[in-house]
């Protein structure tokens, strides 16, 4: 019996599971797409020897068959490529999207290489895994792009988006809970014990703020989003001042247009150049004038994922 595990918490969750498992396994990668596809080029899935599956490569229509072919590749210890949809010999397996999907199966990929890739990912550094399509040999490099070059197919993996959520009350806890449920790494920072407790119950990492300052031991990177959900807006300027000095790709604060205007004046008074004020987004979210914490959370997350 196949044992599906739809772990979508990280783009390299399949690789992490292969490294952590004491079983042999197979790494499955989408190496070609013809037309529409549910998953992108380079998407990965793992199949362990006990037939446990980690990750998905479609909407659920080919995973069991992929696992079947993965067991064959593992038994023979040979790389294998299968095609679904357009150009496939498996006419009984249909892709609802109408496209074609090529999946390459790599049995027992070098765990030392995979482990190095995981370490770089944990350190929040971009990394690339490359596969020789003839031999199945894998290698890891710092740079590269997803795609095929001759007999080598590469998958570029960037760090996971990290959310730093500052605030107090239902807006902060609802947003932090949403990103946690979506599998994004996050940290909820608040001066309010109840806010922190609700965040902890949702599975979020939390930290108690004792003053209106950005903790000096936290270093957001270019894959970080910093969100402020305060009704007491006096907490915002000192935190935002430090946030603007970071390479975070998204910095935003809850509040009306009037609140955003007053915030900008305070930031200028603290010495933030006017040119830097554009880094701070406010009001935040794709839906204007939202007054419901749940709708605000979805609206803001969509805005961040859209690149702001």
């Amino acid at each position: 019996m196949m044992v599906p595990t739809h772990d979508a918490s990280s783009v390299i969750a399949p690789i992490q599971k292969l490294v952590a498992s004491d079983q042999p396994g197979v790494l499955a990668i989408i190496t070609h797409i013809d037309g529409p596809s549910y998953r992108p080029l380079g998407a990965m899935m793992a199949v362990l020897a006990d037939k446990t599956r980690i990750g998905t490569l479609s909407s659920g229509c080919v995973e069991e068959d992929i696992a079947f072919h993965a067991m064959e590749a593992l038994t023979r210890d040979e790389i294998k490529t299968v095609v679904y949809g357009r150009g496939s010999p498996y006419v009984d397996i249909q892709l609802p999207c109408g496209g074609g999907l090529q999946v390459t199966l790599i049995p027992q990929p070098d765990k030392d290489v995979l482990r190095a890739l995981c370490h770089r990912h944990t350190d929040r550094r971009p990394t690339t895994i490359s596969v020789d399509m003839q031999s199945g040999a894998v290698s890891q490099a710092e740079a590269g792009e997803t795609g095929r070059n001759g007999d080598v197919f590469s998958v570029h993996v960037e760090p996971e988006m990290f959310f730093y959520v500052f605030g107090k009350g239902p807006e902060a806890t609802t947003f932090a809970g949403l990103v946690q449920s979506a599998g994004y790494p996050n940290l909820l920072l608040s001066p309010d014990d109840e806010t922190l407790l609700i965040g902890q119950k949702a599975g979020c990492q939390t930290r108690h703020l004792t003053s209106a300052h950005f903790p000096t031991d936290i270093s957001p990177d270019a894959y970080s989003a910093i969100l402020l959900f305060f009704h007491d807006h006096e907490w915002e300027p000192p935190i935002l001042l430090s946030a603007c000095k970071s390479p975070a790709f998204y910095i935003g604060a809850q509040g009306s247009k009037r609140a955003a205007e007053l915030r900008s004046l305070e930031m200028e008074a603290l010495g933030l150049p006017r040119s830097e004020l554009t880094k701070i987004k406010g009001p935040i979210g794709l839906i204007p004038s939202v007054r419901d914490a749940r709708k605000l959370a979805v609206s803001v997350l969509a805005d961040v994922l859209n690149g702001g």
Side-chain angles (χ1 to χ4, degrees), residues 27-173:
L27 182 63
I29 305 175
I30 295 178
T31 48
H32 181 71
I33 295 173
D34 183 7
S37 172
Y38 172 76
R39 300 278 280 140
L41 187 69
M44 295 179 283
M45 168 180 162
V47 184
L48 303 181
D50 66 359
K51 300 180 182 179
T52 296
R53 307 197 308 258
I54 302 95
T56 62
L57 298 186
S58 74
S59 59
C61 45
V62 300
E63 277 72 14
E64 189 169 349
D65 193 69
I66 289 173
F68 170 80
H69 287 287
M71 292 301 98
E72 284 191 343
L74 190 59
T75 300
R76 297 178 181 178
D77 195 25
E78 294 179 352
I79 189 170
K80 182 176 184 178
T81 297
V82 290
V83 177
Y84 299 100
R86 293 180 187 173
S88 173
Y90 311 117
V91 294
D92 57 327
I93 302 176
Q94 299 294 320
L95 296 180
C97 60
L101 205 62
Q102 181 189 78
V103 178
T104 300
L105 306 166
I106 304 100
Q108 302 196 70
D110 190 327
K111 284 195 175 183
D112 287 336
V113 173
L114 301 188
R115 193 172 290 110
L117 187 147
C118 289
H119 286 324
R120 284 189 60 86
H121 193 71
T122 299
D123 292 340
R124 299 189 61 76
R125 293 183 291 168
T127 186
T128 300
I129 179 174
S130 297
V131 180
D132 187 305
M133 299 286 283
Q134 298 300 318
S135 67
V138 296
S139 59
Q140 180 266 330
E142 296 182 12
E145 296 182 353
T146 297
R148 184 162 181 168
N149 184 6
D151 288 336
V152 176
F153 185 85
S154 300
V155 181
H156 183 66
V157 182
E158 294 192 338
E160 288 290 295
M161 194 180 303
F162 197 105
F163 290 84
Y164 293 92
V165 185
F166 292 79
K168 174 183 176 181
E171 291 83 5
T173 57

Side-chain angles (χ1 to χ4, degrees), residues 165 171-181 186-188 199 202 204 229 297:
V165 185
E171 291 83 5
T173 57
T174 303
F175 182 80
L178 178 63
V179 297
Q180 174 68 22
S181 67
N186 62 87
L187 177 63
L188 173 62
C204 303
F229 296 91

